[in-house]
Amino acid sequence: MGQKGFFTDTTLCIGCKACEVACKQWNQLPDDGFRLTGMSYDNTGHLGSATWRHVAFIERPVPLPTQTVGLLDFSWLMASDVCKHCQRAGCLEACPTGAIIRTEFDTVYVQPDVCNGCGYCVAACPFGVVDRREDDGRAWKCTLCYDRLGEDMTPACAKACPTASIQFGDVDELRERAHRRVEQLHDKGLEQAYLYGADAESQPGTGGLNAFFLLVDKPEVYNLPPDPVVPTMKGREAWASMGWGALGMAVVALGAVLFGREVVRG
């Protein structure tokens, strides 16, 4: 069946939100309301338990090198964010019940009938993707349309994208396509283009992403962490720090006892 994933080319996104609508429609997710957040034309704000695709509208007071603007220097970056389905998934490693599994498509899937709502996965996700619903307390996120994959269908968001900004397929093939796209953009003068999370070398903290992105600005501009790290990768450092801390407290306590005895004798 192979390793499936997304390549999101943000330079092709037009902000139409077709991916958001298709995701909600297929997965029967509730709407996010129809009031704008104040962040440009954004009405969803961020990923959440009922928002598995989020289109960000990023307004910048500088033009892209390949753009010709009028009197004002301005550019709009648009990007459809989604669960990254990390190669080393913090949510999966933190789940105590086995509710989060890696599927035969190498995607990360939350089994709602097994989830007990502990929330460990929420804290373990370095991207802030996983969220709990207020009504039942269980964790929810993008499934990469697991039910559609089983029927050899394209995920709803990629199917609905009119500009091919969201591309679905075998991850190895998507990586090759993404690298060719970066080279094309560089040849056209957009030297800022690069891939985010395409492999373990560029993102060792997650082992690479099955849903990676082409960006033209710093990750922080897109509300993405510049160096995401799965919490368990720092487990050894945390235990070592705790050990040194405990040893330091023991030394201080012993010193206080010995010093106290000297004072009493004096």
Side-chain angles (χ1 to χ4, degrees), residues 3 84-89 93 102 106 108 171 175 200 206-210:
Q3 184 183 15
K84 317 307 181 289
H85 296 273
C86 309
Q87 275 297 301
R88 181 163 183 177
E93 294 182 358
R102 191 169 294 279
D106 202 36
V108 180
V171 173
R175 288 196 187 106
T206 62
L209 311 176
N210 284 358

Side-chain angles (χ1 to χ4, degrees), residues 171-189:
V171 173
D172 289 339
E173 181 183 340
L174 291 177
R175 288 196 187 106
E176 294 178 4
R177 191 185 308 171
H179 284 294
R180 290 197 300 269
R181 175 61 175 166
V182 170
E183 292 176 0
Q184 291 174 359
L185 292 174
H186 287 178
D187 291 340
K188 293 179 180 180

